[in-house]
Amino acid sequence: VLLTSGGQYGQDRYGFEGGLTRRISARETLSLQYQGGRSVGYLPQEDSYAGLLYSHQLIRNIALTGSYKIRRVQNLDPLQTTGGYRSHGFDLELSFDFSS
């Protein structure tokens, strides 16, 4: 929750997020992520995000992750006709973990 009420550009933001991860095998995981939120005040909008991710550990600290993500942003101000959008796409990432 972000509260900055007051003034011409005051905006309050409410949001939540969650996720589930399931280990399929010693080297594979499957994850589901979700985020949602709403801002009110100056330029109000509502946005949501969902992602399904599959990760495979190639070697000790290197993993290859494929994900499908969907995002929607909708303007709530009837005077604004731009800025809202929908997107979806597939990403492929190579991750390096230097913490171990």
Side-chain angles (χ1 to χ4, degrees), residues 23 26-28 55-64 94-98 100:
R23 184 169 294 279
R27 300 174 73 177
E28 298 174 305
S55 183
H56 179 79
Q57 185 178 2
L58 300 174
I59 56 177
R60 182 179 169 144
N61 295 338
I62 300 174
L64 184 64
L94 187 60
S95 305
F96 300 91
D97 181 7
F98 296 107
S100 336

Side-chain angles (χ1 to χ4, degrees), residues 2-90:
L2 173 65
L3 301 176
T4 60
S5 294
Q8 181 179 358
Y9 301 105
Q11 189 177 58
D12 295 340
R13 169 95 172 125
Y14 306 94
F16 60 92
E17 62 183 79
L20 299 170
T21 299
R22 171 84 173 152
R23 184 169 294 279
I24 299 170
S25 71
R27 300 174 73 177
E28 298 174 305
T29 58
L30 186 63
S31 301
L32 177 64
Q33 299 174 346
Y34 185 80
Q35 297 174 2
R38 174 181 278 240
S39 61
V40 295
Y42 179 70
L43 297 177
Q45 67 182 22
E46 185 174 82
D47 79 66
S48 60
Y49 160 86
L52 181 62
L53 297 86
Y54 168 80
S55 183
H56 179 79
Q57 185 178 2
L58 300 174
I59 56 177
R60 182 179 169 144
N61 295 338
I62 300 174
L64 184 64
T65 302
S67 60
Y68 186 75
K69 300 172 183 175
I70 300 171
R71 182 157 187 213
R72 182 181 67 84
V73 176
Q74 178 182 1
N75 285 329
L76 300 177
D77 186 346
L79 301 177
Q80 293 292 321
T81 58
T82 61
Y85 65 91
R86 290 182 186 181
S87 69
H88 55 90
F90 178 76

